[in-house]
Amino acid sequence: MGASHRAATGTAIRGALTQARVTHFDETGLRIEKKLQRRRPASTATLTCTSPQKKRGQEGMAQAGVLPHFNGRLGELFHVWLSPRPVLTAHHLRELTFLAERHAQAWAQAMITLLIEMKQAVGAVREAGKAALEEDTLRSFEERDEALLHQGERANPPPAPAEKPRRGRRKQTPARNLLDRLRRYREETLAFLHDFA
């Protein structure tokens, strides 16, 4: 396959990924000529595009050429939060497990149980050929999620203001950081309850 054919194929795949209803993204470090770079695969069930980039964050994602033009539903997404666009993490369960096991955060263990229960309920409804959860089931899941967020926030209050104000954000615990993200991106986190894709 010639270079121009490879380039055209890559452009077509990137274009299709930006138009897909759901696309999954990841980020992995790799060494090229002894220098650390980032590989950023974007994929659907039938397409995958990956490219090494030297830059991290938004600049690297822009260079990869898919996420900045993507308007569909984000599937799994790597553990990087890019602002201003809300970006989900595929690592909620991993972070919650860490908090439950290492920091004895009861709300985190309960959230793991709830997320798995939600996933199983969606799977069962899909297998039954239905397109949505029953309204009372959906409402119950959302109320339980809200209650667990409140429980976690009470157990992990934000840091007190410093006596001497410093530039930048105040340092928070890993639990508080996760809670803030789960609160800020709650709609995106629970999107799978409303959109089975």
Side-chain angles (χ1 to χ4, degrees), residues 19-67:
Q19 299 301 313
R21 186 159 180 254
V22 177
T23 298
H24 304 276
F25 296 87
D26 197 2
E27 178 180 79
T28 305
L30 76 155
R31 295 211 174 266
I32 298 176
E33 297 177 2
K34 299 182 181 180
K35 293 183 180 176
L36 182 62
Q37 294 192 26
R38 303 282 172 210
R39 183 175 62 91
R40 294 188 174 85
S43 64
T44 64
T46 58
L47 297 169
T48 299
C49 176
T50 186
S51 63
Q53 305 296 329
K54 294 179 182 176
K55 300 289 184 177
R56 295 190 73 176
Q58 289 183 343
E59 189 174 350
M61 290 309 297
Q63 289 175 356
V66 179
L67 185 59

Side-chain angles (χ1 to χ4, degrees), residues 144-158:
R144 289 168 59 197
D145 177 75
E146 181 65 31
L148 288 173
L149 290 177
H150 279 304
Q151 181 183 341
E153 289 163 345
R154 284 191 304 274
N156 300 279

Side-chain angles (χ1 to χ4, degrees), residues 73 88 186-196:
R73 174 80 68 195
L88 300 181
R186 186 169 184 250
E187 181 180 335
E188 291 85 357
T189 301
L190 300 181
F192 72 99
L193 292 175
H194 302 272
D195 181 353
F196 287 3

